[in-house]
mmCIF file of all heavy atoms in Angstrom:
data_model
loop_
_atom_site.group_PDB
_atom_site.id
_atom_site.type_symbol
_atom_site.label_atom_id
_atom_site.label_comp_id
_atom_site.label_asym_id
_atom_site.label_seq_id
_atom_site.Cartn_x
_atom_site.Cartn_y
_atom_site.Cartn_z
ATOM 1 N N ASP A 113 0.812 -1.216 -0.021
ATOM 2 C CA ASP A 113 -0.003 -0.006 0.006
ATOM 3 C C ASP A 113 0.844 1.265 0.008
ATOM 4 O O ASP A 113 0.430 2.278 -0.538
ATOM 5 C CB ASP A 113 -0.951 0.014 1.203
ATOM 6 C CG ASP A 113 -1.981 -1.070 1.151
ATOM 7 O OD1 ASP A 113 -2.424 -1.417 0.037
ATOM 8 O OD2 ASP A 113 -2.396 -1.536 2.211
ATOM 9 N N ASP A 114 2.015 1.194 0.626
ATOM 10 C CA ASP A 114 2.921 2.341 0.763
ATOM 11 C C ASP A 114 4.315 1.929 0.369
ATOM 12 O O ASP A 114 5.011 1.315 1.208
ATOM 13 C CB ASP A 114 2.824 2.873 2.176
ATOM 14 C CG ASP A 114 3.692 4.122 2.412
ATOM 15 O OD1 ASP A 114 4.652 4.372 1.673
ATOM 16 O OD2 ASP A 114 3.384 4.822 3.405
ATOM 17 N N LEU A 115 4.712 2.209 -0.842
ATOM 18 C CA LEU A 115 6.029 1.749 -1.313
ATOM 19 C C LEU A 115 7.167 2.299 -0.469
ATOM 20 O O LEU A 115 8.123 1.585 -0.136
ATOM 21 C CB LEU A 115 6.227 2.099 -2.806
ATOM 22 C CG LEU A 115 7.490 1.490 -3.386
ATOM 23 C CD1 LEU A 115 7.176 0.840 -4.713
ATOM 24 C CD2 LEU A 115 8.572 2.498 -3.544
ATOM 25 N N ASP A 116 7.093 3.578 -0.113
ATOM 26 C CA ASP A 116 8.202 4.165 0.634
ATOM 27 C C ASP A 116 8.360 3.475 2.008
ATOM 28 O O ASP A 116 9.503 3.186 2.425
ATOM 29 C CB ASP A 116 7.997 5.664 0.804
ATOM 30 C CG ASP A 116 8.034 6.384 -0.545
ATOM 31 O OD1 ASP A 116 8.909 6.070 -1.369
ATOM 32 O OD2 ASP A 116 7.185 7.247 -0.768
ATOM 33 N N ALA A 117 7.272 3.221 2.694
ATOM 34 C CA ALA A 117 7.364 2.549 4.000
ATOM 35 C C ALA A 117 7.881 1.117 3.835
ATOM 36 O O ALA A 117 8.703 0.643 4.610
ATOM 37 C CB ALA A 117 6.006 2.567 4.681
ATOM 38 N N ALA A 118 7.384 0.417 2.798
ATOM 39 C CA ALA A 118 7.833 -0.962 2.566
ATOM 40 C C ALA A 118 9.293 -0.995 2.205
ATOM 41 O O ALA A 118 10.027 -1.895 2.625
ATOM 42 C CB ALA A 118 6.977 -1.589 1.476
ATOM 43 N N LEU A 119 9.750 -0.029 1.412
ATOM 44 C CA LEU A 119 11.149 0.071 1.028
ATOM 45 C C LEU A 119 12.034 0.293 2.266
ATOM 46 O O LEU A 119 13.031 -0.400 2.459
ATOM 47 C CB LEU A 119 11.362 1.186 0.009
ATOM 48 C CG LEU A 119 12.762 1.416 -0.486
ATOM 49 C CD1 LEU A 119 13.282 0.181 -1.248
ATOM 50 C CD2 LEU A 119 12.799 2.618 -1.407
ATOM 51 N N ASP A 120 11.625 1.214 3.113
ATOM 52 C CA ASP A 120 12.385 1.465 4.361
ATOM 53 C C ASP A 120 12.456 0.194 5.218
ATOM 54 O O ASP A 120 13.520 -0.132 5.753
ATOM 55 C CB ASP A 120 11.754 2.601 5.164
ATOM 56 C CG ASP A 120 11.938 3.956 4.513
ATOM 57 O OD1 ASP A 120 12.779 4.106 3.597
ATOM 58 O OD2 ASP A 120 11.190 4.900 4.943
ATOM 59 N N ARG A 121 11.318 -0.511 5.357
ATOM 60 C CA ARG A 121 11.290 -1.726 6.167
ATOM 61 C C ARG A 121 12.201 -2.812 5.568
ATOM 62 O O ARG A 121 12.944 -3.455 6.286
ATOM 63 C CB ARG A 121 9.837 -2.194 6.275
ATOM 64 C CG ARG A 121 9.641 -3.296 7.266
ATOM 65 C CD ARG A 121 8.153 -3.595 7.552
ATOM 66 N NE ARG A 121 7.367 -3.792 6.324
ATOM 67 C CZ ARG A 121 6.480 -2.941 5.844
ATOM 68 N NH1 ARG A 121 6.208 -1.818 6.481
ATOM 69 N NH2 ARG A 121 5.835 -3.218 4.729
ATOM 70 N N ALA A 122 12.160 -3.005 4.258
ATOM 71 C CA ALA A 122 12.975 -4.027 3.602
ATOM 72 C C ALA A 122 14.449 -3.705 3.735
ATOM 73 O O ALA A 122 15.262 -4.598 4.027
ATOM 74 C CB ALA A 122 12.567 -4.172 2.147
ATOM 75 N N VAL A 123 14.817 -2.454 3.511
ATOM 76 C CA VAL A 123 16.237 -2.080 3.640
ATOM 77 C C VAL A 123 16.714 -2.238 5.075
ATOM 78 O O VAL A 123 17.807 -2.754 5.334
ATOM 79 C CB VAL A 123 16.445 -0.642 3.105
ATOM 80 C CG1 VAL A 123 17.837 -0.121 3.464
ATOM 81 C CG2 VAL A 123 16.233 -0.611 1.575
ATOM 82 N N ALA A 124 15.907 -1.864 6.041
ATOM 83 C CA ALA A 124 16.262 -2.013 7.462
ATOM 84 C C ALA A 124 16.457 -3.481 7.815
ATOM 85 O O ALA A 124 17.274 -3.813 8.683
ATOM 86 C CB ALA A 124 15.218 -1.372 8.367
ATOM 87 N N ALA A 125 15.739 -4.371 7.122
ATOM 88 C CA ALA A 125 15.836 -5.792 7.366
ATOM 89 C C ALA A 125 17.048 -6.407 6.665
ATOM 90 O O ALA A 125 17.391 -7.572 6.903
ATOM 91 C CB ALA A 125 14.555 -6.520 6.969
ATOM 92 N N GLY A 126 17.670 -5.689 5.710
ATOM 93 C CA GLY A 126 18.860 -6.212 5.041
ATOM 94 C C GLY A 126 18.785 -6.254 3.537
ATOM 95 O O GLY A 126 19.734 -6.752 2.877
ATOM 96 N N ALA A 127 17.700 -5.776 2.930
ATOM 97 C CA ALA A 127 17.614 -5.780 1.451
ATOM 98 C C ALA A 127 18.535 -4.712 0.878
ATOM 99 O O ALA A 127 18.836 -3.716 1.529
ATOM 100 C CB ALA A 127 16.161 -5.479 1.056
ATOM 101 N N ARG A 128 18.920 -4.958 -0.363
ATOM 102 C CA ARG A 128 19.740 -3.979 -1.133
ATOM 103 C C ARG A 128 18.882 -3.397 -2.229
ATOM 104 O O ARG A 128 18.215 -4.145 -2.972
ATOM 105 C CB ARG A 128 20.951 -4.662 -1.740
ATOM 106 C CG ARG A 128 21.949 -5.147 -0.693
ATOM 107 C CD ARG A 128 23.203 -5.737 -1.352
ATOM 108 N NE ARG A 128 22.939 -6.738 -2.381
ATOM 109 C CZ ARG A 128 22.840 -8.034 -2.158
ATOM 110 N NH1 ARG A 128 22.973 -8.519 -0.974
ATOM 111 N NH2 ARG A 128 22.653 -8.860 -3.179
ATOM 112 N N VAL A 129 18.914 -2.093 -2.386
ATOM 113 C CA VAL A 129 18.159 -1.458 -3.471
ATOM 114 C C VAL A 129 18.946 -1.603 -4.760
ATOM 115 O O VAL A 129 20.096 -1.239 -4.848
ATOM 116 C CB VAL A 129 17.931 0.041 -3.151
ATOM 117 C CG1 VAL A 129 17.242 0.746 -4.316
ATOM 118 C CG2 VAL A 129 17.133 0.199 -1.858
ATOM 119 N N GLU A 130 18.294 -2.156 -5.788
ATOM 120 C CA GLU A 130 18.859 -2.313 -7.104
ATOM 121 C C GLU A 130 18.451 -1.175 -8.002
ATOM 122 O O GLU A 130 19.212 -0.754 -8.850
ATOM 123 C CB GLU A 130 18.387 -3.643 -7.739
ATOM 124 C CG GLU A 130 18.849 -4.871 -6.973
ATOM 125 C CD GLU A 130 20.304 -5.180 -7.256
ATOM 126 O OE1 GLU A 130 20.687 -5.181 -8.405
ATOM 127 O OE2 GLU A 130 21.035 -5.454 -6.267
ATOM 128 N N GLN A 131 17.207 -0.723 -7.838
ATOM 129 C CA GLN A 131 16.688 0.430 -8.605
ATOM 130 C C GLN A 131 15.740 1.189 -7.703
ATOM 131 O O GLN A 131 14.809 0.637 -7.157
ATOM 132 C CB GLN A 131 15.955 -0.039 -9.877
ATOM 133 C CG GLN A 131 15.421 1.098 -10.681
ATOM 134 C CD GLN A 131 14.695 0.595 -11.914
ATOM 135 O OE1 GLN A 131 14.908 -0.520 -12.405
ATOM 136 N NE2 GLN A 131 13.795 1.406 -12.440
ATOM 137 N N ALA A 132 16.029 2.469 -7.537
ATOM 138 C CA ALA A 132 15.172 3.333 -6.684
ATOM 139 C C ALA A 132 13.757 3.363 -7.250
ATOM 140 O O ALA A 132 13.505 3.070 -8.424
ATOM 141 C CB ALA A 132 15.769 4.728 -6.632
ATOM 142 N N PRO A 133 12.796 3.750 -6.439
ATOM 143 C CA PRO A 133 11.396 3.807 -6.868
ATOM 144 C C PRO A 133 11.235 4.638 -8.132
ATOM 145 O O PRO A 133 11.811 5.709 -8.282
ATOM 146 C CB PRO A 133 10.662 4.422 -5.696
ATOM 147 C CG PRO A 133 11.500 4.064 -4.512
ATOM 148 C CD PRO A 133 12.919 4.115 -5.012
ATOM 149 N N ALA A 134 10.424 4.106 -9.059
ATOM 150 C CA ALA A 134 10.075 4.785 -10.288
ATOM 151 C C ALA A 134 8.566 4.774 -10.405
ATOM 152 O O ALA A 134 7.908 3.804 -10.003
ATOM 153 C CB ALA A 134 10.720 4.099 -11.485
ATOM 154 N N THR A 135 8.014 5.827 -11.001
ATOM 155 C CA THR A 135 6.558 5.947 -11.169
ATOM 156 C C THR A 135 6.211 5.703 -12.630
ATOM 157 O O THR A 135 6.863 6.205 -13.551
ATOM 158 C CB THR A 135 6.066 7.322 -10.718
ATOM 159 O OG1 THR A 135 6.450 7.508 -9.359
ATOM 160 C CG2 THR A 135 4.578 7.447 -10.840
ATOM 161 N N HIS A 136 5.185 4.894 -12.829
ATOM 162 C CA HIS A 136 4.654 4.550 -14.146
ATOM 163 C C HIS A 136 3.166 4.851 -14.172
ATOM 164 O O HIS A 136 2.573 5.158 -13.145
ATOM 165 C CB HIS A 136 4.917 3.086 -14.473
ATOM 166 C CG HIS A 136 6.364 2.728 -14.446
ATOM 167 N ND1 HIS A 136 7.209 2.874 -15.507
ATOM 168 C CD2 HIS A 136 7.143 2.250 -13.427
ATOM 169 C CE1 HIS A 136 8.431 2.499 -15.183
ATOM 170 N NE2 HIS A 136 8.422 2.129 -13.914
ATOM 171 N N ALA A 137 2.531 4.706 -15.330
ATOM 172 C CA ALA A 137 1.102 4.959 -15.439
ATOM 173 C C ALA A 137 0.292 4.068 -14.501
ATOM 174 O O ALA A 137 -0.746 4.469 -13.992
ATOM 175 C CB ALA A 137 0.636 4.751 -16.869
ATOM 176 N N TRP A 138 0.761 2.861 -14.235
ATOM 177 C CA TRP A 138 0.041 1.897 -13.406
ATOM 178 C C TRP A 138 0.381 1.981 -11.933
ATOM 179 O O TRP A 138 -0.337 1.432 -11.096
ATOM 180 C CB TRP A 138 0.313 0.484 -13.913
ATOM 181 C CG TRP A 138 1.775 0.188 -14.047
ATOM 182 C CD1 TRP A 138 2.527 0.304 -15.180
ATOM 183 C CD2 TRP A 138 2.683 -0.245 -13.020
ATOM 184 N NE1 TRP A 138 3.852 -0.032 -14.921
ATOM 185 C CE2 TRP A 138 3.940 -0.378 -13.611
ATOM 186 C CE3 TRP A 138 2.519 -0.550 -11.671
ATOM 187 C CZ2 TRP A 138 5.036 -0.792 -12.889
ATOM 188 C CZ3 TRP A 138 3.635 -0.969 -10.943
ATOM 189 C CH2 TRP A 138 4.884 -1.095 -11.559
ATOM 190 N N GLY A 139 1.528 2.608 -11.577
ATOM 191 C CA GLY A 139 1.919 2.699 -10.176
ATOM 192 C C GLY A 139 3.410 2.894 -9.999
ATOM 193 O O GLY A 139 4.083 3.391 -10.912
ATOM 194 N N ARG A 140 3.906 2.495 -8.852
ATOM 195 C CA ARG A 140 5.321 2.675 -8.521
ATOM 196 C C ARG A 140 5.964 1.342 -8.308
ATOM 197 O O ARG A 140 5.326 0.389 -7.850
ATOM 198 C CB ARG A 140 5.450 3.532 -7.252
ATOM 199 C CG ARG A 140 4.846 4.931 -7.402
ATOM 200 C CD ARG A 140 4.959 5.731 -6.111
ATOM 201 N NE ARG A 140 6.349 6.012 -5.834
ATOM 202 C CZ ARG A 140 6.858 6.066 -4.590
ATOM 203 N NH1 ARG A 140 6.113 5.890 -3.553
ATOM 204 N NH2 ARG A 140 8.158 6.349 -4.437
ATOM 205 N N ILE A 141 7.274 1.288 -8.599
ATOM 206 C CA ILE A 141 8.035 0.027 -8.435
ATOM 207 C C ILE A 141 9.429 0.345 -7.968
ATOM 208 O O ILE A 141 10.044 1.347 -8.381
ATOM 209 C CB ILE A 141 8.077 -0.734 -9.784
ATOM 210 C CG1 ILE A 141 8.786 -2.100 -9.622
ATOM 211 C CG2 ILE A 141 8.715 0.089 -10.883
ATOM 212 C CD1 ILE A 141 8.650 -2.995 -10.832
ATOM 213 N N ALA A 142 9.971 -0.485 -7.120
ATOM 214 C CA ALA A 142 11.347 -0.473 -6.696
ATOM 215 C C ALA A 142 11.909 -1.880 -6.820
ATOM 216 O O ALA A 142 11.197 -2.846 -6.529
ATOM 217 C CB ALA A 142 11.520 0.032 -5.251
ATOM 218 N N LEU A 143 13.139 -2.038 -7.300
ATOM 219 C CA LEU A 143 13.793 -3.325 -7.448
ATOM 220 C C LEU A 143 14.821 -3.494 -6.364
ATOM 221 O O LEU A 143 15.649 -2.569 -6.118
ATOM 222 C CB LEU A 143 14.452 -3.459 -8.806
ATOM 223 C CG LEU A 143 13.525 -3.731 -10.007
ATOM 224 C CD1 LEU A 143 12.618 -2.573 -10.291
ATOM 225 C CD2 LEU A 143 14.349 -4.072 -11.234
ATOM 226 N N LEU A 144 14.797 -4.637 -5.682
ATOM 227 C CA LEU A 144 15.677 -4.913 -4.564
ATOM 228 C C LEU A 144 16.239 -6.323 -4.657
ATOM 229 O O LEU A 144 15.835 -7.102 -5.520
ATOM 230 C CB LEU A 144 14.928 -4.760 -3.234
ATOM 231 C CG LEU A 144 14.357 -3.388 -2.945
ATOM 232 C CD1 LEU A 144 12.891 -3.334 -3.339
ATOM 233 C CD2 LEU A 144 14.503 -3.059 -1.488
#
């Protein structure tokens, strides 16, 4: 529901960001 909050939680748990959030016509995506 909230990409920024989910991204923060995943990174805090140890995920690595591969591609920062991007916005498209359908929504937002981040690759980790």
Side-chain angles (χ1 to χ4, degrees):
D113 293 328
D114 182 338
L115 188 132
D116 296 317
L119 180 62
D120 289 345
R121 190 170 51 251
V123 169
R128 293 184 309 269
V129 176
E130 297 283 313
Q131 180 180 338
T135 302
H136 301 274
W138 52 266
R140 299 178 67 214
I141 184 171
L143 283 67
L144 299 96

